[in-house]
Amino acid sequence: MTTNEMKDLLFEILNEHDTLFSDVALDDTRDALIVTSIDKKKFSLIVENMDEGREVIRLWAKENPATLNIEIALIQMADAGIISEEEREKYHLETVKNEYLLKERYKTGNNL
């Protein structure tokens, strides 16, 4: 499915819910849908193809840069032989377990 096909499908689905949305418009220049709720609040829904994980990484970098930096460092350390693959996996699991804490510390400027 292409980005345009996905936008068209979402457009059709959102237009069917006129009790929730007063307007749905396509913005092809940004690959987005502009949705207006019945209480007149506007939302922009951007449709991006997430092939090969590039968009997931970009979103991860935006949402939780501290966790992303730790994960990159763990991969590099394992690749360089500084830590074993087992250690990398152990620290990865700890990072995932504490992802919310790391995100909050980053947002408040209380970086590690």
Side-chain angles (χ1 to χ4, degrees):
M1 178 175 279
T2 67
T3 300
N4 284 335
E5 290 170 336
M6 178 58 77
K7 285 189 308 191
D8 291 342
L9 177 63
L10 290 172
F11 181 83
E12 288 176 31
I13 292 169
L14 292 170
N15 262 329
E16 291 174 5
H17 295 282
D18 57 357
T19 58
L20 299 172
F21 308 111
S22 62
D23 187 43
V24 179
L26 286 172
D27 180 351
D28 287 325
T29 59
R30 295 185 319 134
D31 284 332
L33 289 101
I34 308 301
V35 180
T36 306
S37 63
I38 56 172
D39 60 355
K40 303 299 180 205
K41 293 182 181 168
K42 286 192 175 192
F43 300 89
S44 174
L45 307 175
I46 297 174
V47 179
E48 292 181 348
N49 188 329
M50 296 178 64
D51 283 343
E52 301 174 19
R54 288 185 298 249
E55 297 306 320
V56 173
I57 291 171
R58 190 172 80 182
L59 180 60
W60 190 15
K62 181 179 177 183
E63 290 293 316
N64 199 342
T67 303
L68 179 62
N69 290 336
I70 292 168
E71 291 292 337
I72 290 170
L74 289 172
I75 291 168
Q76 289 177 338
M77 288 171 49
D79 286 348
I82 298 168
I83 62 174
S84 68
E85 190 58 36
E86 292 79 21
E87 289 171 311
R88 188 206 59 78
E89 181 63 22
K90 174 185 160 191
Y91 293 127
H92 162 73
L93 292 174
E94 285 298 313
T95 302
V96 170
K97 187 167 71 173
N98 293 289
E99 184 173 10
Y100 180 76
L101 171 66
L102 293 165
K103 182 177 183 177
E104 290 305 306
R105 287 180 65 117
Y106 186 85
K107 282 180 10 183
T108 61
N110 190 8
N111 295 336
L112 301 172

